[in-house]
Amino acid sequence: EAQVTQNPRYLITVTGKKLTVTCSQNMNHEYMSWYRQDPGLGLRQIYYSMNVEVTDKGDVPEGYKVSRKEKRNFPLILESPSPNQTSLYFCASSVTAATVLTFGAGSRLTVL
Amino acid sequence: GENVEQHPSTLSVQEGDSAVIKCTYSDSASNYFPWYKQELGKRPQLIIDIRSNVGEKKDQRIAVTLNKTAKHFSLHITETQPEDSAVYFCAAFNAGGTSYGKLTFGQGTILTVHP
């Protein structure tokens, strides 16, 4: 089944404890991206990747890192999480940029 | 950078009525405008999209219009049904310069269709 898989789906952590949210797609998509969703603010793009080894900042990249070493994987790294990073995170991919995004199921992160 | 404003933030209609959601964007380099629907507790899913070389696109009860000069685009849902109740997001894809590839979403519209 064609899908975007993110893990973990739920995570409660503490301030400063490094964590990684994994994202993997099995559709050979070139474009991958991360979003955070907060009430009243919609979806805000954190980082995006046009292809392997190519990553760019979205609108809210502060406090996050990404890498794209393989086409299928696009992990989101929070090196020192803070409470303001408590949010619902979505990974998404598409065949190329400016085409239909397929979203993962979301990862709800709470930073205490 | 790109700024996408979406209105209204909430919209309540009776079943069978039409619903219209409007978005404006700021960067003339944007050339792809998708609309996503997100049901409660679910992931966003595309319902319709339009490219800058097209003024209108229809898919059954859903239509999108684009005015490049005014930098605004709208989602039209006719004959609304209770299952149309969801949060709707517009977005603008930047195809120019250093922001190529960036996708900016609006703040979302909570649509409620009353039976």
Side-chain angles (χ1 to χ4, degrees), chain A residues 3-10 23 34 37 88-92 102-108, chain B residues 38 41-44:
Chain A
Q3 59 186 354
V4 176
T5 304
Q6 351 177 173
N7 283 296
R9 292 286 317 282
Y10 303 92
C23 175
W34 276 102
Q37 184 172 21
L88 177 60
Y89 291 87
F90 285 101
C91 179
T102 299
F103 281 84
S107 296
R108 186 166 292 282
Chain B
Q38 187 179 29
K42 302 287 179 78
R43 69 196 79 185

Side-chain angles (χ1 to χ4, degrees), chain B residues 1-67:
Chain B
E2 176 66 277
N3 183 45
V4 177
E5 294 288 334
Q6 182 173 345
H7 297 282
S9 56
T10 60
L11 181 57
S12 183
V13 301
Q14 289 296 128
E15 183 176 0
D17 287 351
S18 294
V20 180
I21 303 171
K22 299 183 179 182
C23 289
T24 61
Y25 62 100
S26 60
D27 195 334
S28 57
S30 292
N31 70 348
Y32 172 65
F33 307 92
W35 286 87
Y36 287 85
K37 175 184 180 182
Q38 187 179 29
E39 296 177 349
L40 191 62
K42 302 287 179 78
R43 69 196 79 185
Q45 290 193 300
L46 182 87
I47 53 169
I48 197 166
D49 56 7
I50 192 167
R51 299 189 185 276
S52 58
N53 58 348
V54 175
E56 182 175 358
K57 185 177 178 180
K58 275 182 127 174
D59 183 2
Q60 298 180 45
R61 297 185 297 109
I62 294 172
V64 57
T65 58
L66 171 66
N67 183 325

Side-chain angles (χ1 to χ4, degrees), chain B residues 41-106:
Chain B
K42 302 287 179 78
R43 69 196 79 185
Q45 290 193 300
L46 182 87
I47 53 169
I48 197 166
D49 56 7
I50 192 167
R51 299 189 185 276
S52 58
N53 58 348
V54 175
E56 182 175 358
K57 185 177 178 180
K58 275 182 127 174
D59 183 2
Q60 298 180 45
R61 297 185 297 109
I62 294 172
V64 57
T65 58
L66 171 66
N67 183 325
K68 279 194 301 183
T69 304
K71 295 197 185 75
H72 67 70
F73 56 113
S74 299
L75 177 71
H76 304 254
I77 305 174
T78 58
E79 299 170 26
T80 53
Q81 301 165 3
E83 49 266 39
D84 293 329
S85 297
V87 182
Y88 291 80
F89 294 100
C90 63
F93 177 86
N94 196 303
T98 57
S99 294
Y100 179 77
K102 189 179 283 190
L103 184 66
T104 303
F105 282 84

Side-chain angles (χ1 to χ4, degrees), chain A residues 91-107:
Chain A
C91 179
S93 70
S94 58
V95 174
T96 60
T99 55
V100 178
L101 282 173
T102 299
F103 281 84
S107 296

